[in-house]
Amino acid sequence: MDEVTLRPAVDDDAEALVAFWAFAGENESRPTDRPEMITALLAHDPSALLLATVDGEIVGTVIAGWDGWRAHLYRLAVRPDHRRRGLGRLLVERAEERLRALGAGRFDAMVLEGNELGDASWRAAGYTRQDNWRRWVRPSGG
């Protein structure tokens, strides 16, 4: 694998992240990503969004959200030409380390129905599907 650097995202990454997720993420049934959403996340929790880069280019991401009660992992994405090299697993491990240090006793991964690649990635990381829960959403109107 190329020399990978892991680091927290910064505001200057916002535009590149939107482009990266449009290319490497699963985006069906999701609101459209906007740079200001990323900068708002970083203002709230500067270490929540972990990037993997090679030669300064984003090749992987994961968000490790912690609200003091629950730990959520989402936006796990790896650029297609860097998949199947352990990068996703590395991102998840680092995200879990961060959340564990904050006090999390359990992690959950948010994966859209029908995202078979996502299902396989989380299963390989030791996660199991929790069938007795459903997620309810409503736009904020903002």
Side-chain angles (χ1 to χ4, degrees), residues 21-142:
W21 285 332
F23 174 69
E26 52 82 20
N27 295 299
E28 281 188 39
S29 305
R30 296 192 66 261
T32 302
D33 292 315
R34 297 185 322 271
E36 59 269 21
M37 296 166 69
I38 295 164
T39 57
L41 169 65
L42 298 178
H44 173 74
D45 186 349
S47 299
L49 177 46
L50 181 64
L51 303 183
T53 64
V54 172
D55 296 327
E57 295 287 323
I58 299 169
V59 297
T61 65
V62 68
I63 298 174
W66 171 248
D67 63 12
W69 185 266
R70 291 182 176 93
H72 304 290
L73 295 151
Y74 51 103
R75 297 318 301 255
L76 176 63
V78 175
R79 200 167 78 184
D81 62 337
H82 281 72
R83 292 180 183 159
R84 307 200 58 77
R85 300 180 190 184
L87 184 53
R89 182 179 305 273
L90 178 62
L91 284 162
V92 170
E93 287 171 358
R94 289 292 174 84
E96 289 175 343
E97 288 172 12
R98 173 187 191 268
L99 295 168
R100 200 174 289 111
L102 291 169
R106 182 178 82 154
F107 314 119
D108 72 57
M110 291 188 260
V111 183
L112 286 173
E113 290 289 333
N115 181 351
E116 294 179 19
L117 180 60
D119 287 347
S121 296
W122 289 108
R123 192 174 303 109
Y127 287 70
T128 58
R129 182 182 173 120
Q130 187 175 11
D131 289 324
N132 60 329
W133 281 84
R134 294 290 181 259
R135 183 173 175 193
W136 295 62
V137 299
R138 177 177 179 239
S140 69

Side-chain angles (χ1 to χ4, degrees), residues 8-27:
V10 296
D11 287 349
D12 288 345
D13 295 315
E15 294 282 345
L17 279 162
V18 169
F20 174 76
W21 285 332
F23 174 69
E26 52 82 20
N27 295 299

